[in-house]
mmCIF file of all heavy atoms in Angstrom:
data_model
loop_
_atom_site.group_PDB
_atom_site.id
_atom_site.type_symbol
_atom_site.label_atom_id
_atom_site.label_comp_id
_atom_site.label_asym_id
_atom_site.label_seq_id
_atom_site.Cartn_x
_atom_site.Cartn_y
_atom_site.Cartn_z
ATOM 1 N N MET A 1 99.339 -33.290 29.936
ATOM 2 C CA MET A 1 98.951 -34.676 30.046
ATOM 3 C C MET A 1 97.724 -34.909 29.169
ATOM 4 O O MET A 1 96.784 -34.129 29.158
ATOM 5 C CB MET A 1 98.628 -35.010 31.493
ATOM 6 C CG MET A 1 98.186 -36.417 31.699
ATOM 7 S SD MET A 1 97.943 -36.720 33.464
ATOM 8 C CE MET A 1 97.289 -38.330 33.365
ATOM 9 N N SER A 2 97.722 -35.975 28.421
ATOM 10 C CA SER A 2 96.608 -36.320 27.556
ATOM 11 C C SER A 2 95.954 -37.608 28.038
ATOM 12 O O SER A 2 96.617 -38.511 28.523
ATOM 13 C CB SER A 2 97.082 -36.533 26.119
ATOM 14 O OG SER A 2 97.624 -35.338 25.625
ATOM 15 N N THR A 3 94.652 -37.675 27.885
ATOM 16 C CA THR A 3 93.921 -38.889 28.215
ATOM 17 C C THR A 3 93.258 -39.390 26.943
ATOM 18 O O THR A 3 92.547 -38.653 26.281
ATOM 19 C CB THR A 3 92.836 -38.602 29.272
ATOM 20 O OG1 THR A 3 93.457 -38.034 30.409
ATOM 21 C CG2 THR A 3 92.104 -39.867 29.665
ATOM 22 N N PHE A 4 93.517 -40.629 26.625
ATOM 23 C CA PHE A 4 92.963 -41.209 25.419
ATOM 24 C C PHE A 4 91.844 -42.177 25.784
ATOM 25 O O PHE A 4 91.900 -42.859 26.795
ATOM 26 C CB PHE A 4 94.051 -41.953 24.630
ATOM 27 C CG PHE A 4 95.174 -41.050 24.203
ATOM 28 C CD1 PHE A 4 96.361 -41.000 24.917
ATOM 29 C CD2 PHE A 4 95.031 -40.229 23.101
ATOM 30 C CE1 PHE A 4 97.398 -40.158 24.530
ATOM 31 C CE2 PHE A 4 96.062 -39.377 22.710
ATOM 32 C CZ PHE A 4 97.246 -39.344 23.424
ATOM 33 N N ASP A 5 90.829 -42.237 24.951
ATOM 34 C CA ASP A 5 89.750 -43.194 25.156
ATOM 35 C C ASP A 5 90.225 -44.580 24.769
ATOM 36 O O ASP A 5 91.004 -44.745 23.825
ATOM 37 C CB ASP A 5 88.534 -42.838 24.300
ATOM 38 C CG ASP A 5 87.840 -41.568 24.772
ATOM 39 O OD1 ASP A 5 87.943 -41.261 25.972
ATOM 40 O OD2 ASP A 5 87.202 -40.906 23.939
ATOM 41 N N ALA A 6 89.737 -45.576 25.488
ATOM 42 C CA ALA A 6 90.074 -46.956 25.154
ATOM 43 C C ALA A 6 89.397 -47.343 23.853
ATOM 44 O O ALA A 6 88.253 -46.976 23.599
ATOM 45 C CB ALA A 6 89.623 -47.874 26.275
ATOM 46 N N ASP A 7 90.121 -48.065 23.010
ATOM 47 C CA ASP A 7 89.564 -48.511 21.733
ATOM 48 C C ASP A 7 88.971 -49.910 21.827
ATOM 49 O O ASP A 7 88.162 -50.298 20.985
ATOM 50 C CB ASP A 7 90.641 -48.496 20.645
ATOM 51 C CG ASP A 7 91.071 -47.078 20.298
ATOM 52 O OD1 ASP A 7 90.213 -46.174 20.301
ATOM 53 O OD2 ASP A 7 92.276 -46.876 20.035
ATOM 54 N N THR A 8 89.385 -50.653 22.825
ATOM 55 C CA THR A 8 88.894 -52.022 22.974
ATOM 56 C C THR A 8 88.481 -52.244 24.425
ATOM 57 O O THR A 8 88.858 -51.470 25.326
ATOM 58 C CB THR A 8 89.971 -53.048 22.612
ATOM 59 O OG1 THR A 8 91.046 -52.941 23.563
ATOM 60 C CG2 THR A 8 90.510 -52.842 21.200
ATOM 61 N N MET A 9 87.731 -53.312 24.655
ATOM 62 C CA MET A 9 87.326 -53.662 26.007
ATOM 63 C C MET A 9 88.554 -54.001 26.855
ATOM 64 O O MET A 9 88.626 -53.644 28.027
ATOM 65 C CB MET A 9 86.361 -54.847 25.977
ATOM 66 C CG MET A 9 85.808 -55.198 27.336
ATOM 67 S SD MET A 9 84.856 -53.879 28.131
ATOM 68 C CE MET A 9 83.369 -53.943 27.192
ATOM 69 N N ALA A 10 89.533 -54.645 26.264
ATOM 70 C CA ALA A 10 90.750 -54.995 26.993
ATOM 71 C C ALA A 10 91.473 -53.741 27.485
ATOM 72 O O ALA A 10 91.970 -53.700 28.615
ATOM 73 C CB ALA A 10 91.668 -55.836 26.115
ATOM 74 N N GLU A 11 91.531 -52.715 26.640
ATOM 75 C CA GLU A 11 92.169 -51.461 27.046
ATOM 76 C C GLU A 11 91.382 -50.789 28.170
ATOM 77 O O GLU A 11 91.966 -50.244 29.105
ATOM 78 C CB GLU A 11 92.288 -50.506 25.863
ATOM 79 C CG GLU A 11 93.323 -50.908 24.838
ATOM 80 C CD GLU A 11 93.358 -49.946 23.665
ATOM 81 O OE1 GLU A 11 92.639 -48.916 23.689
ATOM 82 O OE2 GLU A 11 94.092 -50.228 22.707
ATOM 83 N N LEU A 12 90.067 -50.842 28.086
ATOM 84 C CA LEU A 12 89.232 -50.245 29.123
ATOM 85 C C LEU A 12 89.449 -50.951 30.456
ATOM 86 O O LEU A 12 89.605 -50.309 31.496
ATOM 87 C CB LEU A 12 87.760 -50.308 28.718
ATOM 88 C CG LEU A 12 86.773 -49.716 29.703
ATOM 89 C CD1 LEU A 12 87.043 -48.227 29.919
ATOM 90 C CD2 LEU A 12 85.349 -49.929 29.213
ATOM 91 N N ILE A 13 89.485 -52.260 30.438
ATOM 92 C CA ILE A 13 89.720 -53.031 31.663
ATOM 93 C C ILE A 13 91.100 -52.717 32.231
ATOM 94 O O ILE A 13 91.264 -52.533 33.435
ATOM 95 C CB ILE A 13 89.547 -54.535 31.394
ATOM 96 C CG1 ILE A 13 88.074 -54.825 31.101
ATOM 97 C CG2 ILE A 13 90.048 -55.370 32.564
ATOM 98 C CD1 ILE A 13 87.799 -56.211 30.582
ATOM 99 N N ALA A 14 92.080 -52.624 31.376
ATOM 100 C CA ALA A 14 93.440 -52.309 31.835
ATOM 101 C C ALA A 14 93.487 -50.912 32.445
ATOM 102 O O ALA A 14 94.126 -50.707 33.477
ATOM 103 C CB ALA A 14 94.424 -52.420 30.670
ATOM 104 N N ASP A 15 92.784 -49.956 31.833
ATOM 105 C CA ASP A 15 92.747 -48.604 32.378
ATOM 106 C C ASP A 15 92.093 -48.600 33.757
ATOM 107 O O ASP A 15 92.552 -47.919 34.673
ATOM 108 C CB ASP A 15 91.990 -47.666 31.448
ATOM 109 C CG ASP A 15 92.745 -47.354 30.159
ATOM 110 O OD1 ASP A 15 93.962 -47.640 30.100
ATOM 111 O OD2 ASP A 15 92.117 -46.829 29.224
ATOM 112 N N CYS A 16 91.009 -49.334 33.894
ATOM 113 C CA CYS A 16 90.310 -49.376 35.176
ATOM 114 C C CYS A 16 91.151 -50.064 36.246
ATOM 115 O O CYS A 16 91.095 -49.698 37.417
ATOM 116 C CB CYS A 16 88.973 -50.098 35.029
ATOM 117 S SG CYS A 16 87.785 -49.167 34.033
ATOM 118 N N ALA A 17 91.935 -51.051 35.840
ATOM 119 C CA ALA A 17 92.791 -51.756 36.791
ATOM 120 C C ALA A 17 93.885 -50.843 37.321
ATOM 121 O O ALA A 17 94.412 -51.074 38.410
ATOM 122 C CB ALA A 17 93.399 -52.992 36.129
ATOM 123 N N ASP A 18 94.218 -49.794 36.569
ATOM 124 C CA ASP A 18 95.270 -48.868 36.975
ATOM 125 C C ASP A 18 94.783 -47.788 37.924
ATOM 126 O O ASP A 18 95.568 -46.953 38.365
ATOM 127 C CB ASP A 18 95.904 -48.207 35.744
ATOM 128 C CG ASP A 18 96.742 -49.177 34.937
ATOM 129 O OD1 ASP A 18 97.168 -50.205 35.507
ATOM 130 O OD2 ASP A 18 96.965 -48.918 33.750
ATOM 131 N N LEU A 19 93.486 -47.751 38.247
ATOM 132 C CA LEU A 19 92.972 -46.738 39.172
ATOM 133 C C LEU A 19 93.589 -46.931 40.553
ATOM 134 O O LEU A 19 93.778 -48.059 40.995
ATOM 135 C CB LEU A 19 91.453 -46.825 39.282
ATOM 136 C CG LEU A 19 90.675 -46.412 38.037
ATOM 137 C CD1 LEU A 19 89.197 -46.677 38.249
ATOM 138 C CD2 LEU A 19 90.897 -44.961 37.714
ATOM 139 N N PRO A 20 93.888 -45.854 41.249
ATOM 140 C CA PRO A 20 94.446 -45.968 42.596
ATOM 141 C C PRO A 20 93.475 -46.697 43.518
ATOM 142 O O PRO A 20 92.254 -46.510 43.437
ATOM 143 C CB PRO A 20 94.630 -44.518 43.042
ATOM 144 C CG PRO A 20 94.629 -43.720 41.783
ATOM 145 C CD PRO A 20 93.788 -44.469 40.812
ATOM 146 N N SER A 21 93.987 -47.533 44.393
ATOM 147 C CA SER A 21 93.132 -48.320 45.286
ATOM 148 C C SER A 21 92.316 -47.429 46.221
ATOM 149 O O SER A 21 91.232 -47.810 46.660
ATOM 150 C CB SER A 21 93.972 -49.305 46.093
ATOM 151 O OG SER A 21 94.907 -48.601 46.886
ATOM 152 N N GLY A 22 92.791 -46.247 46.531
ATOM 153 C CA GLY A 22 92.058 -45.331 47.393
ATOM 154 C C GLY A 22 90.727 -44.918 46.797
ATOM 155 O O GLY A 22 89.761 -44.692 47.516
ATOM 156 N N LEU A 23 90.655 -44.841 45.496
ATOM 157 C CA LEU A 23 89.395 -44.491 44.851
ATOM 158 C C LEU A 23 88.389 -45.633 44.943
ATOM 159 O O LEU A 23 87.196 -45.417 45.134
ATOM 160 C CB LEU A 23 89.620 -44.141 43.384
ATOM 161 C CG LEU A 23 90.396 -42.864 43.103
ATOM 162 C CD1 LEU A 23 90.625 -42.715 41.601
ATOM 163 C CD2 LEU A 23 89.638 -41.666 43.637
ATOM 164 N N ALA A 24 88.863 -46.829 44.818
ATOM 165 C CA ALA A 24 87.970 -47.980 44.842
ATOM 166 C C ALA A 24 87.411 -48.234 46.233
ATOM 167 O O ALA A 24 86.240 -48.564 46.380
ATOM 168 C CB ALA A 24 88.702 -49.217 44.339
ATOM 169 N N THR A 25 88.196 -48.075 47.255
ATOM 170 C CA THR A 25 87.726 -48.405 48.598
ATOM 171 C C THR A 25 86.757 -47.375 49.150
ATOM 172 O O THR A 25 85.919 -47.704 49.970
ATOM 173 C CB THR A 25 88.907 -48.552 49.573
ATOM 174 O OG1 THR A 25 89.671 -47.351 49.546
ATOM 175 C CG2 THR A 25 89.784 -49.722 49.210
ATOM 176 N N THR A 26 86.821 -46.134 48.687
ATOM 177 C CA THR A 26 85.912 -45.128 49.221
ATOM 178 C C THR A 26 84.489 -45.338 48.724
ATOM 179 O O THR A 26 83.540 -44.963 49.395
ATOM 180 C CB THR A 26 86.367 -43.706 48.839
ATOM 181 O OG1 THR A 26 86.462 -43.621 47.424
ATOM 182 C CG2 THR A 26 87.684 -43.358 49.487
ATOM 183 N N GLN A 27 84.322 -45.945 47.571
ATOM 184 C CA GLN A 27 82.977 -46.140 47.038
ATOM 185 C C GLN A 27 82.454 -47.554 47.244
ATOM 186 O O GLN A 27 81.276 -47.798 47.062
ATOM 187 C CB GLN A 27 82.968 -45.788 45.558
ATOM 188 C CG GLN A 27 83.288 -44.322 45.353
ATOM 189 C CD GLN A 27 83.019 -43.872 43.933
ATOM 190 O OE1 GLN A 27 82.416 -44.583 43.159
ATOM 191 N NE2 GLN A 27 83.473 -42.686 43.611
ATOM 192 N N THR A 28 83.286 -48.480 47.671
ATOM 193 C CA THR A 28 82.852 -49.856 47.864
ATOM 194 C C THR A 28 81.790 -49.951 48.944
ATOM 195 O O THR A 28 80.803 -50.659 48.797
ATOM 196 C CB THR A 28 84.049 -50.760 48.212
ATOM 197 O OG1 THR A 28 85.009 -50.650 47.166
ATOM 198 C CG2 THR A 28 83.621 -52.200 48.358
ATOM 199 N N ALA A 29 81.953 -49.233 50.040
ATOM 200 C CA ALA A 29 80.979 -49.295 51.125
ATOM 201 C C ALA A 29 79.626 -48.768 50.677
ATOM 202 O O ALA A 29 78.582 -49.321 51.029
ATOM 203 C CB ALA A 29 81.484 -48.501 52.323
ATOM 204 N N ALA A 30 79.614 -47.727 49.887
ATOM 205 C CA ALA A 30 78.351 -47.173 49.407
ATOM 206 C C ALA A 30 77.650 -48.151 48.470
ATOM 207 O O ALA A 30 76.425 -48.253 48.478
ATOM 208 C CB ALA A 30 78.600 -45.854 48.703
ATOM 209 N N LEU A 31 78.394 -48.880 47.673
ATOM 210 C CA LEU A 31 77.802 -49.838 46.764
ATOM 211 C C LEU A 31 77.285 -51.075 47.483
ATOM 212 O O LEU A 31 76.368 -51.731 47.015
ATOM 213 C CB LEU A 31 78.820 -50.242 45.692
ATOM 214 C CG LEU A 31 79.246 -49.131 44.735
ATOM 215 C CD1 LEU A 31 80.345 -49.634 43.801
ATOM 216 C CD2 LEU A 31 78.072 -48.624 43.940
ATOM 217 N N ALA A 32 77.877 -51.401 48.625
ATOM 218 C CA ALA A 32 77.467 -52.579 49.366
ATOM 219 C C ALA A 32 76.139 -52.368 50.079
ATOM 220 O O ALA A 32 75.479 -53.325 50.460
ATOM 221 C CB ALA A 32 78.547 -52.961 50.371
ATOM 222 N N THR A 33 75.731 -51.129 50.279
ATOM 223 C CA THR A 33 74.472 -50.842 50.944
ATOM 224 C C THR A 33 73.334 -51.028 49.950
ATOM 225 O O THR A 33 73.246 -50.330 48.948
ATOM 226 C CB THR A 33 74.458 -49.399 51.478
ATOM 227 O OG1 THR A 33 75.576 -49.213 52.328
ATOM 228 C CG2 THR A 33 73.180 -49.110 52.231
ATOM 229 N N VAL A 34 72.457 -51.984 50.249
ATOM 230 C CA VAL A 34 71.334 -52.267 49.363
ATOM 231 C C VAL A 34 70.087 -51.601 49.931
ATOM 232 O O VAL A 34 69.731 -51.805 51.084
ATOM 233 C CB VAL A 34 71.109 -53.786 49.238
ATOM 234 C CG1 VAL A 34 69.889 -54.080 48.388
ATOM 235 C CG2 VAL A 34 72.344 -54.441 48.656
ATOM 236 N N VAL A 35 69.463 -50.800 49.114
ATOM 237 C CA VAL A 35 68.235 -50.128 49.514
ATOM 238 C C VAL A 35 67.108 -50.702 48.671
ATOM 239 O O VAL A 35 67.137 -50.603 47.440
ATOM 240 C CB VAL A 35 68.342 -48.598 49.287
ATOM 241 C CG1 VAL A 35 67.057 -47.915 49.659
ATOM 242 C CG2 VAL A 35 69.519 -48.039 50.057
ATOM 243 N N PRO A 36 66.132 -51.332 49.311
ATOM 244 C CA PRO A 36 65.044 -51.910 48.514
ATOM 245 C C PRO A 36 64.229 -50.826 47.817
ATOM 246 O O PRO A 36 64.029 -49.738 48.354
ATOM 247 C CB PRO A 36 64.198 -52.656 49.543
ATOM 248 C CG PRO A 36 64.566 -52.075 50.870
ATOM 249 C CD PRO A 36 65.955 -51.533 50.732
ATOM 250 N N ALA A 37 63.803 -51.139 46.624
ATOM 251 C CA ALA A 37 63.001 -50.189 45.859
ATOM 252 C C ALA A 37 61.621 -50.073 46.473
ATOM 253 O O ALA A 37 61.055 -51.043 46.960
ATOM 254 C CB ALA A 37 62.896 -50.645 44.413
ATOM 255 N N SER A 38 61.105 -48.876 46.451
ATOM 256 C CA SER A 38 59.751 -48.693 46.959
ATOM 257 C C SER A 38 58.744 -49.152 45.906
ATOM 258 O O SER A 38 59.012 -49.118 44.708
ATOM 259 C CB SER A 38 59.514 -47.234 47.328
ATOM 260 O OG SER A 38 59.686 -46.420 46.193
ATOM 261 N N ARG A 39 57.610 -49.589 46.365
ATOM 262 C CA ARG A 39 56.565 -50.068 45.457
ATOM 263 C C ARG A 39 55.953 -48.880 44.716
ATOM 264 O O ARG A 39 55.779 -47.813 45.282
ATOM 265 C CB ARG A 39 55.481 -50.783 46.248
ATOM 266 C CG ARG A 39 54.359 -51.304 45.384
ATOM 267 C CD ARG A 39 53.439 -52.220 46.149
ATOM 268 N NE ARG A 39 52.204 -52.451 45.448
ATOM 269 C CZ ARG A 39 52.065 -53.215 44.377
ATOM 270 N NH1 ARG A 39 53.130 -53.823 43.899
ATOM 271 N NH2 ARG A 39 50.903 -53.380 43.790
ATOM 272 N N TRP A 40 55.645 -49.079 43.457
ATOM 273 C CA TRP A 40 54.979 -48.034 42.697
ATOM 274 C C TRP A 40 53.876 -48.660 41.857
ATOM 275 O O TRP A 40 53.961 -49.809 41.455
ATOM 276 C CB TRP A 40 55.946 -47.242 41.833
ATOM 277 C CG TRP A 40 56.760 -48.058 40.883
ATOM 278 C CD1 TRP A 40 57.906 -48.728 41.162
ATOM 279 C CD2 TRP A 40 56.489 -48.293 39.497
ATOM 280 N NE1 TRP A 40 58.372 -49.369 40.043
ATOM 281 C CE2 TRP A 40 57.519 -49.119 38.996
ATOM 282 C CE3 TRP A 40 55.495 -47.888 38.630
ATOM 283 C CZ2 TRP A 40 57.574 -49.545 37.679
ATOM 284 C CZ3 TRP A 40 55.544 -48.317 37.315
ATOM 285 C CH2 TRP A 40 56.591 -49.130 36.862
ATOM 286 N N ASP A 41 52.850 -47.927 41.652
ATOM 287 C CA ASP A 41 51.705 -48.381 40.883
ATOM 288 C C ASP A 41 51.449 -47.417 39.729
ATOM 289 O O ASP A 41 51.745 -46.228 39.824
ATOM 290 C CB ASP A 41 50.449 -48.448 41.765
ATOM 291 C CG ASP A 41 50.567 -49.504 42.845
ATOM 292 O OD1 ASP A 41 50.942 -50.647 42.511
ATOM 293 O OD2 ASP A 41 50.287 -49.177 44.010
ATOM 294 N N ILE A 42 50.868 -47.945 38.681
ATOM 295 C CA ILE A 42 50.514 -47.125 37.535
ATOM 296 C C ILE A 42 49.022 -46.859 37.596
ATOM 297 O O ILE A 42 48.221 -47.788 37.702
ATOM 298 C CB ILE A 42 50.873 -47.842 36.217
ATOM 299 C CG1 ILE A 42 52.364 -48.112 36.173
ATOM 300 C CG2 ILE A 42 50.416 -47.037 35.019
ATOM 301 C CD1 ILE A 42 52.798 -48.974 35.031
ATOM 302 N N SER A 43 48.665 -45.606 37.522
ATOM 303 C CA SER A 43 47.250 -45.254 37.584
ATOM 304 C C SER A 43 46.560 -45.662 36.280
ATOM 305 O O SER A 43 47.203 -45.826 35.236
ATOM 306 C CB SER A 43 47.076 -43.757 37.813
ATOM 307 O OG SER A 43 47.494 -43.046 36.663
ATOM 308 N N ASP A 44 45.245 -45.813 36.343
ATOM 309 C CA ASP A 44 44.482 -46.151 35.142
ATOM 310 C C ASP A 44 44.622 -45.068 34.083
ATOM 311 O O ASP A 44 44.680 -45.346 32.887
ATOM 312 C CB ASP A 44 43.008 -46.355 35.501
ATOM 313 C CG ASP A 44 42.788 -47.617 36.328
ATOM 314 O OD1 ASP A 44 43.636 -48.531 36.258
ATOM 315 O OD2 ASP A 44 41.767 -47.686 37.040
ATOM 316 N N ALA A 45 44.697 -43.819 34.512
ATOM 317 C CA ALA A 45 44.846 -42.710 33.566
ATOM 318 C C ALA A 45 46.178 -42.797 32.827
ATOM 319 O O ALA A 45 46.250 -42.576 31.616
ATOM 320 C CB ALA A 45 44.718 -41.378 34.299
ATOM 321 N N ALA A 46 47.231 -43.136 33.536
ATOM 322 C CA ALA A 46 48.545 -43.257 32.898
ATOM 323 C C ALA A 46 48.571 -44.448 31.948
ATOM 324 O O ALA A 46 49.124 -44.363 30.851
ATOM 325 C CB ALA A 46 49.637 -43.389 33.952
ATOM 326 N N ALA A 47 47.973 -45.561 32.342
ATOM 327 C CA ALA A 47 47.935 -46.745 31.482
ATOM 328 C C ALA A 47 47.118 -46.470 30.226
ATOM 329 O O ALA A 47 47.461 -46.936 29.126
ATOM 330 C CB ALA A 47 47.361 -47.927 32.248
ATOM 331 N N ALA A 48 46.054 -45.710 30.354
ATOM 332 C CA ALA A 48 45.201 -45.400 29.207
ATOM 333 C C ALA A 48 45.939 -44.574 28.161
ATOM 334 O O ALA A 48 45.644 -44.677 26.966
ATOM 335 C CB ALA A 48 43.955 -44.656 29.680
ATOM 336 N N ARG A 49 46.916 -43.805 28.585
ATOM 337 C CA ARG A 49 47.658 -42.949 27.645
ATOM 338 C C ARG A 49 48.522 -43.761 26.688
ATOM 339 O O ARG A 49 48.897 -43.281 25.625
ATOM 340 C CB ARG A 49 48.523 -41.952 28.403
ATOM 341 C CG ARG A 49 47.693 -40.935 29.172
ATOM 342 C CD ARG A 49 48.544 -40.025 29.987
ATOM 343 N NE ARG A 49 49.291 -39.124 29.111
ATOM 344 C CZ ARG A 49 50.201 -38.270 29.537
ATOM 345 N NH1 ARG A 49 50.490 -38.199 30.823
ATOM 346 N NH2 ARG A 49 50.826 -37.497 28.695
ATOM 347 N N VAL A 50 48.871 -44.999 27.050
ATOM 348 C CA VAL A 50 49.761 -45.800 26.213
ATOM 349 C C VAL A 50 49.125 -47.099 25.727
ATOM 350 O O VAL A 50 49.821 -47.966 25.210
ATOM 351 C CB VAL A 50 51.081 -46.114 26.963
ATOM 352 C CG1 VAL A 50 51.869 -44.855 27.232
ATOM 353 C CG2 VAL A 50 50.816 -46.879 28.241
ATOM 354 N N THR A 51 47.828 -47.248 25.885
ATOM 355 C CA THR A 51 47.186 -48.506 25.503
ATOM 356 C C THR A 51 47.324 -48.837 24.020
ATOM 357 O O THR A 51 47.376 -50.003 23.650
ATOM 358 C CB THR A 51 45.687 -48.515 25.867
ATOM 359 O OG1 THR A 51 45.063 -47.385 25.280
ATOM 360 C CG2 THR A 51 45.496 -48.516 27.362
ATOM 361 N N GLU A 52 47.419 -47.848 23.169
ATOM 362 C CA GLU A 52 47.520 -48.111 21.746
ATOM 363 C C GLU A 52 48.961 -48.059 21.234
ATOM 364 O O GLU A 52 49.187 -48.195 20.031
ATOM 365 C CB GLU A 52 46.651 -47.122 20.984
ATOM 366 C CG GLU A 52 45.175 -47.304 21.293
ATOM 367 C CD GLU A 52 44.302 -46.336 20.511
ATOM 368 O OE1 GLU A 52 44.768 -45.781 19.518
ATOM 369 O OE2 GLU A 52 43.155 -46.123 20.934
ATOM 370 N N LEU A 53 49.902 -47.880 22.083
ATOM 371 C CA LEU A 53 51.309 -47.817 21.686
ATOM 372 C C LEU A 53 51.954 -49.171 21.951
ATOM 373 O O LEU A 53 52.222 -49.554 23.077
ATOM 374 C CB LEU A 53 52.035 -46.711 22.445
ATOM 375 C CG LEU A 53 51.481 -45.296 22.260
ATOM 376 C CD1 LEU A 53 52.212 -44.320 23.150
ATOM 377 C CD2 LEU A 53 51.602 -44.877 20.799
ATOM 378 N N ASP A 54 52.221 -49.935 20.907
ATOM 379 C CA ASP A 54 52.780 -51.278 21.052
ATOM 380 C C ASP A 54 54.135 -51.296 21.750
ATOM 381 O O ASP A 54 54.501 -52.264 22.382
ATOM 382 C CB ASP A 54 52.912 -51.954 19.683
ATOM 383 C CG ASP A 54 51.566 -52.282 19.078
ATOM 384 O OD1 ASP A 54 50.599 -52.430 19.847
ATOM 385 O OD2 ASP A 54 51.485 -52.369 17.842
ATOM 386 N N GLU A 55 54.919 -50.229 21.618
ATOM 387 C CA GLU A 55 56.245 -50.203 22.224
ATOM 388 C C GLU A 55 56.172 -50.297 23.743
ATOM 389 O O GLU A 55 57.106 -50.723 24.398
ATOM 390 C CB GLU A 55 56.993 -48.913 21.867
ATOM 391 C CG GLU A 55 57.221 -48.706 20.394
ATOM 392 C CD GLU A 55 56.076 -47.949 19.743
ATOM 393 O OE1 GLU A 55 55.523 -47.031 20.353
ATOM 394 O OE2 GLU A 55 55.726 -48.296 18.599
ATOM 395 N N TYR A 56 55.095 -49.872 24.349
ATOM 396 C CA TYR A 56 54.974 -49.839 25.808
ATOM 397 C C TYR A 56 54.308 -51.088 26.363
ATOM 398 O O TYR A 56 54.187 -51.253 27.557
ATOM 399 C CB TYR A 56 54.184 -48.605 26.252
ATOM 400 C CG TYR A 56 54.966 -47.339 26.064
ATOM 401 C CD1 TYR A 56 54.795 -46.580 24.930
ATOM 402 C CD2 TYR A 56 55.897 -46.944 27.008
ATOM 403 C CE1 TYR A 56 55.529 -45.421 24.744
ATOM 404 C CE2 TYR A 56 56.627 -45.772 26.823
ATOM 405 C CZ TYR A 56 56.438 -45.025 25.698
ATOM 406 O OH TYR A 56 57.166 -43.900 25.526
ATOM 407 N N VAL A 57 53.858 -51.969 25.515
ATOM 408 C CA VAL A 57 53.137 -53.160 25.983
ATOM 409 C C VAL A 57 54.098 -54.307 26.133
ATOM 410 O O VAL A 57 55.015 -54.485 25.457
ATOM 411 C CB VAL A 57 52.004 -53.527 24.997
ATOM 412 C CG1 VAL A 57 51.288 -54.778 25.455
ATOM 413 C CG2 VAL A 57 51.041 -52.365 24.872
#
């Protein structure tokens, strides 16, 4: 059996539509659970390391 990569978005969507329904339902419940992100802060030392790098500003 060979598996070919989709060449277009339409082919990719069609391939995904062909997945067995059992695969989709087992992961749907896990995706429906929303876990809020924990708060994080950047220390002054970490911010100082990138103050002169325009890509990070």
Side-chain angles (χ1 to χ4, degrees):
M1 179 176 174
S2 298
T3 303
F4 299 99
D5 291 333
D7 292 324
T8 65
M9 185 61 74
E11 288 178 5
L12 180 61
I13 292 170
D15 289 346
C16 292
D18 289 339
L19 291 175
S21 61
L23 292 176
T25 56
T26 57
Q27 296 191 11
T28 303
L31 294 175
T33 304
V34 176
V35 178
S38 60
R39 180 169 166 74
W40 56 277
D41 294 311
I42 300 172
S43 69
D44 291 337
R49 293 176 70 185
V50 295
T51 55
E52 295 181 18
L53 301 175
D54 291 335
E55 300 90 38
Y56 289 96
V57 178

